[in-house]
Amino acid sequence: MLPHATDDISRDGKSLILAYDHGIEHGPVDFEPNPDTANPGRIFELATHEAVTALAVQKGLAEAYYSDYEDEVNLLLKLNGTSNLWMGEPDSAVNCTAEYAAELGADAVGFTVYGGSNNEIEMAEEFREAQEGAREHDMGVVMWSYPRGQGLRNDGSPEVISYGARLGLELGADVVKVKYPGSAEAMGDAVKMAGPADVVMSGGTMRDDRDFLRNVSNAVDAGATGIAVGRNVFQRDDPERILDALEAVIFQEADPAEALTV
Ligand code: FBP
């Protein structure tokens, strides 16, 4: 990782990345709990919340909306993505270059790597191109490091998640986004494996407010620099309220129970 590479998508060394690539990754089903969120404009507005340090979207949404928000929102442009209609071994189509991301005004690029997939070799090579392209344009690099594939029996185990964190460091990511491994201790191991690269936890499926904030707090206590979250924010009836609470937990290290009352 390069020093200062994440300055544009973090605040005081912490990050709250609002992820909104679900329209491609999961499809319309993710918008059902809160139908307004099918409208990308609603999410770009949400990303102006002061807690949000960057918004992760695909190229098409950036082209359509970002020019209206470039003064208020930091753009993390996802360079690859696959729909849930794809039934093959985990893979992700590269659908944008680092050069075009820079043209669209991106502050950083995002890239999924499925370590352990039968497609890992190609994905690592594609990541190399994206990472080096980002460096040429002074953009930070965030790896969605999600080991999975037919050969991996337990892709949610702490060992596999730590390995994913390490892959991010070895391949040149500035930030590695990993699934929450289930405990502060396991998160601490992943953070250690990532060395100088930042680690952010992935939000995951919708959870009870307290459980969710407790996991985030554990992750931050263990050295994670924050979260990259989608569903646990935008699927709630009041996404702004959970952003207020996340801000307190991540940036002020507030107790999760107290954060809900701010
Ligand atoms: P969530 O907070 O909703 O889990 O989003 C994080 C994220 O990495 C998204 O960026 C992505 O769309 C999704 O999870 C992928 O999840 P998975 O591949 O595990 O279904």
Side-chain angles (χ1 to χ4, degrees), residues 32-33 49 67 76 89 96 116 124-125 163 165 167 188 220 225 236 243:
E32 283 172 10
H49 188 291
S67 58
L76 167 50
E89 179 71 0
C96 186
E125 289 171 357
Y163 202 158
L167 276 183
V220 171
T225 54
R236 288 175 199 273
L243 283 179

Side-chain angles (χ1 to χ4, degrees), residues 19-26 30 56 78 84 114 144 146 148 177 179 201-205 227-234:
Y20 186 62
D21 56 344
H22 302 68
I24 183 167
E25 296 290 340
H26 299 159
D30 274 10
K78 194 80 201 308
N84 229 358
Y114 297 125
W144 275 232
Y146 291 168
R148 61 180 64 158
K177 175 169 169 8
K179 303 279 178 188
M201 72 172 255
S202 173
T205 49
I227 188 168
V229 56
R231 289 164 290 182
N232 264 290
V233 169
F234 70 70

Side-chain angles (χ1 to χ4, degrees), residues 39-56:
N39 172 9
R42 167 75 179 102
I43 304 296
F44 275 80
E45 278 301 320
L46 189 60
T48 65
H49 188 291
E50 65 172 18
V52 176
T53 58
L55 173 66

